[in-house]
């Protein structure tokens, strides 16, 4: 007879509830957008009581600040998991970066970015998390492109141009999804910055 699973501690139960609330916040940001992500919707999506939500997050601002860090951690975890076995090839690495800068986690991050334009508290919460993600992304780009590119004087421009291009592609894909066009833009980027026809 299999042994019974050990009972979770109160601390473990609280952490699970907190994670459910953060995951529900991301789901709501993607489904409803920032303006219509309410604490009531998050509470219902997470399947917790009002008291449980208020125990972890006293206000919507607190919840969104924590969600900002949670989104960043999820994007970082994706990058780290995919590169844990060693540096990817340029093709694999650029595909990884493209995947990390699209999909639901990135869309949730975009909602928070746009809202931060007019919300000083949210902007203050967002900046440290995005700096951490940006540093991880630049490290991945360095691994992808190799020491010859990393040693160039314009390496910072290479990194930022690639990140800005991916952000723009993710944003425009909300209204227009055209993989062939996106591939062509990435080829043009590679020609300009790497001197190659293939990114």
């Amino acid at each position: 007879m299999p042994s019974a699973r050990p009972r979770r501690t109160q601390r473990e139960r609280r952490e699970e509830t907190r994670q459910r609330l953060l995951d529900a916040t991301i789901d709501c940001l993607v489904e409803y957008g920032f303006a219509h992500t309410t604490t009531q919707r998050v509470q219902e999506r997470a399947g917790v009581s009002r008291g449980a939500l208020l125990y972890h997050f006293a206000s919507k601002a607190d919840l969104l600040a924590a969600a900002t860090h949670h989104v960043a951690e999820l994007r970082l975890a994706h990058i780290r998991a995919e590169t844990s076995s060693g540096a990817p090839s340029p093709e694999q690495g650029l595909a990884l970066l493209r995947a990390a800068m699209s999909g639901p986690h990135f869309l949730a991050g975009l909602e928070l970015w746009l809202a931060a334009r007019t919300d000083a508290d949210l902007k203050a919460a967002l900046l440290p998390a995005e700096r951490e993600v940006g540093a991880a992304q630049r490290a991945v780009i360095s691994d992808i492109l190799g020491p010859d590119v990393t040693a160039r004087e314009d390496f910072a421009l290479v990194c930022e141009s690639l990140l800005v291009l991916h952000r723009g592609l993710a944003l425009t894909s909300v209204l227009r999804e055209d993989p062939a066009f996106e591939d062509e833009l990435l080829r043009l980027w590679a020609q300009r910055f790497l001197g190659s026809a293939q990114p």
Side-chain angles (χ1 to χ4, degrees):
M1 182 176 179
S3 58
R5 289 179 60 188
R7 292 184 62 186
R8 291 173 303 155
T9 65
Q10 187 174 28
R11 181 177 178 179
E12 288 172 334
R13 290 195 299 272
R14 285 178 177 161
E15 182 57 26
E16 181 186 337
T17 298
R18 186 177 187 278
Q19 290 301 312
R20 283 167 58 192
L21 285 164
L22 292 174
D23 289 338
T25 302
I26 292 172
D27 290 345
C28 287
L29 284 167
V30 173
E31 185 172 345
Y32 302 112
F34 178 84
H36 299 290
T37 293
T38 64
T39 54
Q40 180 67 33
R41 276 188 164 144
V42 170
Q43 173 194 327
E44 291 171 358
R45 178 70 63 98
V48 303
S49 67
R50 187 71 178 172
L53 184 147
L54 292 174
Y55 174 83
H56 291 281
F57 306 106
S59 67
K60 181 179 179 180
D62 290 340
L63 176 63
L64 290 172
T68 296
H69 291 277
H70 190 52
V71 167
E73 287 164 4
L74 290 170
R75 286 164 57 199
L76 279 173
H78 175 73
I79 292 172
R80 288 169 179 155
E82 293 295 327
T83 58
S84 61
S85 59
S89 70
E91 293 78 11
Q92 292 169 327
L94 289 170
L96 164 63
L97 189 65
R98 192 170 180 177
M101 298 191 72
S102 60
H105 295 153
F106 187 74
L107 289 176
L110 277 181
E111 287 289 334
L112 293 168
W113 271 35
L114 293 172
R117 186 180 70 84
T118 55
D119 188 324
D121 292 337
L122 183 60
K123 183 176 181 179
L126 189 63
L127 283 173
E130 284 299 325
R131 285 193 188 108
E132 188 178 354
V133 171
Q137 288 170 334
R138 285 188 288 276
V140 169
I141 293 171
S142 178
D143 288 341
I144 290 168
L145 301 181
D148 290 344
V149 178
T150 304
R152 284 168 34 177
E153 289 185 4
D154 66 346
F155 180 64
L157 180 61
V158 171
C159 283
E160 289 307 310
S161 65
L162 184 56
L163 293 174
V164 167
L165 176 57
H166 278 295
R167 289 186 191 111
L169 289 174
L171 190 56
T172 56
S173 71
V174 172
L175 295 178
R176 180 198 64 215
E177 194 167 349
D178 186 349
F181 178 72
E182 294 175 8
D183 290 342
E184 182 60 24
L185 281 179
L186 288 168
R187 277 193 289 273
L188 288 171
W189 177 89
Q191 288 173 351
R192 166 63 180 84
F193 287 100
L194 305 180
S196 65
Q198 294 295 325

